[in-house]
Amino acid sequence: MATPAPETPPGNMATFNILHGFPEAIVRGMRSSFLLDADYHHLTQCETLDDVKLNLTESDYSESVSDMATLTPTSLQAAAVNKLVTEFKYLRTQTIEPLSTFLDFITYEYMIENVMLLLKGTLSGRDINELIAQCHPLGMFKESTMRSIPTFESNAKGYADLYQTVLVDTPVGPYFSMFLQESHDRVGGEVRNVLEEVEIEIIKSSLIKYWLEDFGNFVSSLGGESATMMGELLAVRADTNAINITLNSFGTPLNEPAMRQSDRKRLYPALGYLYPAGTSMLIDVADEDGLGRCLELFPQYSSIWNVHLVGGGDKSIDDAFYERDVQMLELAFEGQMHFGVFYAYIKLKEQEIRNLVWITECILQQQKEEINKFVPVFSQHAPWRSKKR
């Protein structure tokens, strides 16, 4: 899918503030809303969830938790996500092109996740109300579109209706069209066969790949600091996907020689620091030893892989990826006059929400010895800061 270049340039040192200075000022002011090291210290010392609620009343989440009769990890996550969505929608209303399209691209990822959740739940017969409640608010469609998914019949016409009402009429419809066409050309048959026979996670990985490539092309067309900063952020995101796809394929049919050359190969994004040499090597990787040898050639990922090899320690490979992401996203706030700060704010807030859920779950399950295994945001004790002192 080729996204056309923006008709209006993002601006330069002379014009950026005229075009996008107000929303950028807002999001940079929102940086002060992140929890501080002292806040995390107080939260990890709490004995009950009521104590957590009391501590959060002194933070930017005070209004979100004030009306909760009983705080739970689920309710706290929902409240924090809704707060983030409200902030994002306000930012979106203050933007003009091409920043408005840039923010729309951020929501496409959540739209993909929501549609895949609905498709997976529908095929397994789950209740539509339960599924809609689990959808991310940033990726919601019209309620009529959401509820149309479980109404299709299990025949050729029914699946054609599903494609027309859900896949085509959504902003991410072109990605679904590309996947279905590619699968149809490769295996033949009807669209119905693709949806029934291909695992949902493989479909999701393909759609995320198309989204990353499309997003990458768009930010590249912006030029300037936005292209540089977002290019780096999307590159590491694409590499993370490629590594995880390879790692998670071990022990599954996707790791069979024929599947590695056909299906798994198609899931690797055509961007990132691993592309094209690294991803070409990943196609032939059959086990963890082979993956390790491949990543040794890329210093930025060899250290992360070593975390996985150690195993059983205080840090998992996911934690290592999160730490690397937080470090890069924080650096986006150090530059000026670029769009990367908007993407960074959303992703850093998501990390903060993961931290809150982890802390409350540890307190609820009385696993206080595990409570400090999270990645704080803008922490003065972060490894990339403390090791330089």
Side-chain angles (χ1 to χ4, degrees):
M1 176 182 178
T3 300
E7 296 181 1
T8 305
N12 51 35
M13 290 185 65
T15 61
F16 184 91
N17 283 340
I18 298 174
L19 300 170
H20 314 294
F22 181 62
E24 187 193 23
I26 294 174
V27 77
R28 290 187 181 278
M30 287 177 174
R31 174 177 171 171
S32 62
S33 68
F34 285 99
L35 296 174
L36 305 176
D37 287 335
D39 296 320
Y40 281 116
H41 174 73
H42 293 149
L43 290 172
T44 56
Q45 301 303 308
C46 294
E47 297 294 333
T48 67
L49 295 183
D50 287 337
D51 295 338
V52 173
K53 179 180 178 181
L54 181 63
N55 277 275
L56 288 178
T57 57
E58 301 297 325
S59 70
D60 198 55
Y61 293 99
S62 58
E63 293 185 6
S64 301
V65 301
S66 60
D67 295 331
M68 291 185 186
T70 303
L71 185 144
T72 65
T74 303
S75 64
L76 176 58
Q77 181 181 24
V81 168
N82 287 332
K83 176 179 178 295
L84 174 60
V85 171
T86 300
E87 294 169 348
F88 179 86
K89 289 182 177 179
Y90 176 73
L91 282 173
R92 177 64 178 80
T93 61
Q94 307 302 317
T95 61
I96 60 173
E97 292 291 350
L99 179 54
S100 53
T101 298
F102 177 88
L103 295 183
D104 289 341
F105 262 104
I106 296 177
T107 66
Y108 293 169
E109 178 183 8
Y110 304 103
M111 292 181 185
I112 292 173
E113 293 177 350
N114 286 352
V115 173
M116 299 317 300
L117 173 64
L118 292 172
L119 283 176
K120 184 177 182 179
T122 299
L123 293 174
S124 60
R126 294 177 58 188
D127 180 68
I128 183 62
N129 293 316
E130 176 187 349
L131 294 172
I132 292 178
Q134 295 178 3
C135 289
H136 197 288
L138 275 182
M140 298 295 283
F141 310 114
K142 295 184 299 184
E143 185 173 356
S144 59
T145 301
M146 304 286 282
R147 292 188 176 277
S148 68
I149 296 177
T151 61
F152 65 87
E153 299 177 358
S154 298
N155 54 43
K157 183 179 183 302
Y159 284 101
D161 291 341
L162 169 65
Y163 178 77
Q164 292 296 327
T165 59
V166 179
L167 308 184
V168 172
D169 293 337
T170 63
V172 294
Y175 306 142
F176 285 89
S177 177
M178 292 169 64
F179 171 78
L180 293 173
Q181 185 61 48
E182 182 181 66
S183 300
H184 183 277
D185 293 342
R186 185 171 58 88
V187 302
E190 300 173 343
V191 172
R192 171 185 60 181
N193 297 329
V194 176
L195 291 175
E196 288 179 345
E197 296 173 6
V198 181
E199 293 185 11
I200 294 295
E201 288 303 318
I202 295 179
I203 302 177
K204 179 180 176 181
S205 296
S206 297
L207 300 177
I208 292 296
K209 167 198 169 181
Y210 297 136
W211 166 72
L212 280 172
E213 293 172 352
D214 198 21
F215 201 0
N217 290 335
F218 177 77
V219 299
S220 178
S221 68
L222 293 175
E225 188 69 13
S226 293
T228 302
M229 180 60 67
M230 279 304 302
E232 293 181 0
L233 293 174
L234 293 179
V236 297
R237 171 66 189 277
D239 291 345
T240 301
N241 280 17
I243 294 171
N244 281 330
I245 287 169
T246 307
L247 183 60
N248 294 333
S249 71
F250 298 151
T252 71
L254 202 60
N255 195 39
E256 297 176 0
M259 295 283 281
R260 292 201 298 265
Q261 291 293 331
S262 58
D263 293 69
R264 197 172 79 183
K265 176 182 178 180
R266 295 186 300 110
L267 301 179
Y268 296 139
L271 75 159
Y273 298 115
L274 293 178
Y275 177 81
T279 50
S280 297
M281 297 171 62
L282 290 178
I283 296 172
D284 298 320
V285 168
D287 51 37
E288 291 194 2
D289 291 338
L291 179 57
R293 288 192 296 271
C294 175
L295 295 181
E296 282 179 358
L297 303 176
F298 300 88
Q300 64 268 51
Y301 298 115
S302 59
S303 58
I304 293 179
W305 179 249
N306 289 334
V307 171
H308 174 73
L309 292 180
V310 173
D314 293 334
K315 187 187 300 184
S316 67
I317 189 171
D318 288 335
D319 294 330
F321 278 131
Y322 285 143
E323 279 192 358
R324 188 276 318 275
D325 291 344
V326 167
Q327 179 181 7
M328 294 192 66
L329 292 167
E330 288 181 359
L331 286 175
F333 277 85
E334 303 304 319
Q336 292 184 331
M337 300 178 185
H338 65 84
F339 291 169
V341 67
F342 297 92
Y343 178 86
Y345 178 77
I346 299 299
K347 295 303 178 182
L348 288 174
K349 271 297 178 181
E350 286 186 339
Q351 179 61 46
E352 184 173 83
I353 293 171
R354 281 193 292 268
N355 295 343
L356 289 173
V357 172
W358 176 264
I359 292 172
T360 52
E361 286 285 3
C362 287
I363 294 174
L364 184 63
Q365 300 177 23
Q366 298 182 352
Q367 298 288 330
K368 293 295 289 290
E369 66 276 5
E370 306 286 332
I371 201 170
N372 288 303
K373 294 182 179 180
F374 58 87
V375 184
V377 178
F378 292 115
S379 171
Q380 296 303 312
H381 305 297
W384 51 91
R385 290 193 179 91
S386 59
K387 68 182 179 183
K388 295 180 181 180
R389 293 178 177 179

